[in-house]
RNA sequence: GGGUCUGUAGCUUAGUCAGGUAGAGCACCGGGCUUUUAACCCGGGGGUCGCGGGUUCGAACCCCGUCAGACCCGCCA
């Protein structure tokens, strides 16, 4: 059984209807690591719906979280915004300076991420956390938290092993300058928290408004109750012993609610370069990833991996394997009646992964088949600059019959992006030689050189079509009495510098007559 | 220091929660197609399930220990 289906089943044993949640702080550019947070939750949500369990999926944006520090992509102008809720800060310009016309900081980073989510078929109910404060939904929890201040204090200190400051208070009001830093609570008089900020200014915050927020560990526990969340997968940073999940459970209960069960997912790493981090610049954005990787395959990468296993995200060579594995599975799904228990489990797991990988829920996976392997498409995309030529070639090779489907059109356009990016594997790149070097030439026999000379002549008067070029190759092999194989090897050595490759006539055609003849004349 | 997770074929892994003869893909090798030469089809070899104990008629799976790797415990998912 797939992990999402298993979780859905477990949830339905405990709750009648589900609220599955994700939560992310929009403190900077989103990266594909965040996609795991989103997709883990969304797949459980889909699994619930597929099992006729009532379910809702919400994405809580921590727009009230304060700016912690001036990140590397921000200019020093942001110094003055430290401690401000992200929703109250101007969005940065590309050079890192504040753009006062560009909306707020939280929305700025959120917007493109939501677009990427749409592209991979995720349609959450977006909850801006500052909105929840603004409309008073937090007020009751804030009141309870303040009343149980000492107990919460003890829970955090005991479970996390962290020492809280003397003046710790489960509510951080915003001071006169807009920052939550250095604001000291002087007293609480429902619904107002009175304070004195670092400038000595005194004031009060209305707990029914977004005049302040609860600290992270309390905030998270409170929102489980406010939104009746039944499942919220958490990153392993929150899931560590003594982490915010562990303190959240008793705090949530203290505030009168039943906490969701603990579920922790592993991180995605960029192959070979460790965990993703916005500050180190070691990121790949969901949008960048979606430019290269078809959405169903991006989903598949998450769906096929157990939640607790880390994923090495690789936009290099292993993308071929992942994509071809997906293609193979969809076109030839594992089936069979006489399987033993283990094989049945394996089959159900993988078919579950395929089901959950579809961009649109309930749509037949077979519609996402491109009908051609990633490798073959990579080759065609490199030698055919025109999409129509690619479709013609695929028709001729009987990969497709007639017009390409949407999946294939999408694959080709992303394939072109991939090839043009630094991520495309070098050994898959077709490199046209300007001329044959001496080393390569020495590997050829006299006969093969003869063959190339004849070819050179023939190409000069050749009508430039794939058929004609193939015909010339055949003629030349006959005239010089080299085997077809030797002839092809000679051509590959000349044009690509290696002894094998994709269909040479296509490459020659694509190169054009002038360039081809130039390669021949320079080399021979 | 405390904790979590991972360790199965050269590589990626399924199977571990409900113990019952180790399964797949890639790669590799062989054959076919003999020209769509990075395509396609068929076949094959390859695993002390990290290591050591224990429980059991029976352990990749449960328990204890141990080694290795990754990560968390400073709100970075």
């Amino acid at each position: 059984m797939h992990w999402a289906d298993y979780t859905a089943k477990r949830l339905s044993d405990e709750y009648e209807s589900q609220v599955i949640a994700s939560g992310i702080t929009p403190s900077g550019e989103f990266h594909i690591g965040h996609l795991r947070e989103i997709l883990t939750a969304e797949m459980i949500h889909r699994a619930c719906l597929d099992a006729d369990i009532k379910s809702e999926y919400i994405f809580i944006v921590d727009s009230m979280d304060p700016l912690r520090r001036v990140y590397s992509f921000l200019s020093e102008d942001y110094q003055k915004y430290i401690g401000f809720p992200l929703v109250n800060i101007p969005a940065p310009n590309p050079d890192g300076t504040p753009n006062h016309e560009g909306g707020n900081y939280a929305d700025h980073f959120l917007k493109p991420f939501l677009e990427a989510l749409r592209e991979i078929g995720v349609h959450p109910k977006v909850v801006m956390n500052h909105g929840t404060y603004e409309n008073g939904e937090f007020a009751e929890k804030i009141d309870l938290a303040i009343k149980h201040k000492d107990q919460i204090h003890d829970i955090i200190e005991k479970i996390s092993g962290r020492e809280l400051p003397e003046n710790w208070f489960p509510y951080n009001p915003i001071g006169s300058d807009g920052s939550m830093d250095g604001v000291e609570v002087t007293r609480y008089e429902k619904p107002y928290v009175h304070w004195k900020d670092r400038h000595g200014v005194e004031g009060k915050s209305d707990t029914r408004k977004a005049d302040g927020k609860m600290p992270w560990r309390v905030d998270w526990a409170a929102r489980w109750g406010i939104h009746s969340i039944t499942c919220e997968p958490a990153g392993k940073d929150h899931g560590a012993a003594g982490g915010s999940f562990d303190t959240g459970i008793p705090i949530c209960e203290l505030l009168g609610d039943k906490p969701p069960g603990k579920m922790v997912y592993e991180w995605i790493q960029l192959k070979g370069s460790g965990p993703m981090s916005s500050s180190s610049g070691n990121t790949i954005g969901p949008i960048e990833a979606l430019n290269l990787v078809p959405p169903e395959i991006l989903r598949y990468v998450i769906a096929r991996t157990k939640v607790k296993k880390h994923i090495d995200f690789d936009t290099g060579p292993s993308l071929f394997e992942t994509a071809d594995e997906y293609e193979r599975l969809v076109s030839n799904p594992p089936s069979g009646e006489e399987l033993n228990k283990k094989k049945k489990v394996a089959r159900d797991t993988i078919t579950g992964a395929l089901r959950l990988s579809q961009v649109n829920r309930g749509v037949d996976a077979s519609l996402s088949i491109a009908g051609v392997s990633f490798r073959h498409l990579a080759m065609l995309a490199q030698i055919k600059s025109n999409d129509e030529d690619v479709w013609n070639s695929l028709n001729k090779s009987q990969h497709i019959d007639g017009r390409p489907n949407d999946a294939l059109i999408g694959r080709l356009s992303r394939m072109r992006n991939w090839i043009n990016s630094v991520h495309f594997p070098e050994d898959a790149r077709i490199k046209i030689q300007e001329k044959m070097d001496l080393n390569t030439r020495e590997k050829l026999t006299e006969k093969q050189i003869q063959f190339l000379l004849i070819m050179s002549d023939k190409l000069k008067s050749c009508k430039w079509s794939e058929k004609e070029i193939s015909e010339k190759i055949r003629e030349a092999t006959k005239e010089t009495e080299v085997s077809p194989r030797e002839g092809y090897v000679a051509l590959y050595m000349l044009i690509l510098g290696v002894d094998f490759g994709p269909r040479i006539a296509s490459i020659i055609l694509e190169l054009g007559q002038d360039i081809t003849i130039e390669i021949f004349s320079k080399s021979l």
Side-chain angles (χ1 to χ4, degrees), chain A residues 382-383 429-436 491-498 502 504 506-508 510-512 515-516 519:
Chain A
Q382 287 182 85
I383 61 174
R429 218 177 265 288
I430 295 172
K431 292 186 208 82
I432 307 295
Q433 307 292 299
E434 280 180 33
K435 58 171 283 202
M436 187 159 56
L491 283 170
Y492 283 114
M493 293 295 267
L494 172 71
I495 292 168
L496 299 179
V498 289
I504 197 70
S506 312
I507 297 176
I508 293 174
E510 199 59 31
L511 284 174
I515 293 175
T516 308
I519 296 172

Side-chain angles (χ1 to χ4, degrees), chain A residues 150-453:
Chain A
D150 294 340
Q151 281 157 280
I152 294 175
H153 178 276
D154 289 351
I155 286 169
I156 294 177
E157 286 208 329
K158 207 169 131 201
I159 295 181
S160 76
R162 213 167 48 163
E163 210 172 308
L164 294 175
E166 193 55 43
N167 58 353
W168 186 84
F169 198 77
Y171 182 83
N172 300 326
I174 298 173
S176 62
D177 59 359
S179 172
M180 291 183 271
D181 284 358
V183 182
E184 200 164 324
V185 172
T186 48
R187 81 195 143 89
Y188 172 60
E189 196 177 299
K190 190 178 179 183
Y192 298 105
V193 171
H194 296 257
W195 47 261
K196 185 175 180 183
D197 71 14
R198 56 191 166 184
H199 310 291
V201 179
E202 294 187 23
K204 61 179 182 180
S205 286
D206 188 336
T207 57
R208 299 163 303 180
K209 295 269 153 38
D211 291 350
K213 79 178 286 278
M214 296 203 270
W216 159 246
R217 284 179 188 250
V218 187
D219 179 295
W220 198 22
R223 69 168 88 143
W224 285 338
I226 292 170
H227 302 290
S228 307
I229 291 166
T230 58
C231 176
E232 180 170 355
K236 65 170 169 184
D237 49 341
H238 298 312
S244 42
F245 215 120
D246 285 355
T247 52
I249 290 169
I251 293 172
C252 180
E253 284 165 349
L254 196 62
L255 299 179
D257 301 297
K258 184 177 172 184
K262 187 171 176 178
M263 180 169 186
V264 177
Y265 62 86
E266 254 287 352
W267 284 11
I268 294 183
Q269 318 210 351
L270 279 188
K271 189 140 190 168
S273 45
M276 205 113 12
S277 156
S278 316
S279 53
S280 71
N282 184 27
T283 68
I284 178 162
I287 299 156
E288 190 184 354
L290 278 165
N291 275 334
L292 311 173
V293 187
E296 62 276 12
I297 289 170
L298 206 50
R299 290 186 66 105
Y300 177 65
V301 169
I302 310 255
R304 70 164 173 184
T305 313
K306 282 182 288 194
V307 173
K308 282 182 295 196
K309 288 203 123 179
H310 94 253
I311 295 176
D312 271 328
F313 187 76
D314 184 6
T315 49
S318 64
L319 193 50
F320 280 121
E321 274 180 44
T322 309
D324 286 346
E325 175 184 313
Y326 176 85
E327 187 78 6
R328 208 173 32 243
L329 281 169
V330 175
S331 56
N332 193 13
S335 60
E337 309 304 313
E338 281 142 63
L339 295 173
N340 62 31
K341 193 180 104 190
K342 278 172 185 169
K343 286 187 184 168
K344 267 185 195 146
V345 169
R347 182 199 57 193
D348 293 347
T349 303
I350 202 72
T351 50
L354 287 179
R355 191 186 89 240
L356 294 163
S357 299
Q358 299 316 303
V359 172
N360 297 306
R361 189 177 82 87
V363 167
D364 193 335
S366 63
L367 292 174
S368 68
I369 295 184
V372 54
S373 79
F374 233 53
R375 253 170 226 288
H376 191 54
L377 192 62
M379 184 266 287
L380 290 177
Q382 287 182 85
I383 61 174
K384 311 266 186 200
S385 49
N386 188 321
D387 288 2
E388 279 309 315
D389 293 340
V390 173
W391 312 141
N392 288 337
S393 171
L394 287 171
N395 266 295
K396 249 189 267 174
S397 59
Q398 296 178 332
H399 280 97
I400 60 170
D401 187 17
R403 299 302 302 164
N405 65 11
D406 290 347
L408 181 52
I409 292 169
R411 295 272 169 103
L412 179 62
S413 97
R414 289 194 170 86
M415 179 60 74
R416 293 202 187 283
N417 294 336
W418 191 30
I419 291 165
N420 290 327
S421 78
V422 296
H423 304 283
F424 192 73
E426 278 311 304
D427 60 358
R429 218 177 265 288
I430 295 172
K431 292 186 208 82
I432 307 295
Q433 307 292 299
E434 280 180 33
K435 58 171 283 202
M436 187 159 56
D437 60 50
L438 284 174
N439 262 341
T440 313
R441 195 184 162 135
E442 274 171 18
K443 288 180 191 152
L444 297 178
T445 63
E446 263 320 300
K447 264 184 162 181
Q448 283 175 310
I449 300 288
Q450 265 307 312
F451 162 81
L452 289 177
L453 284 166

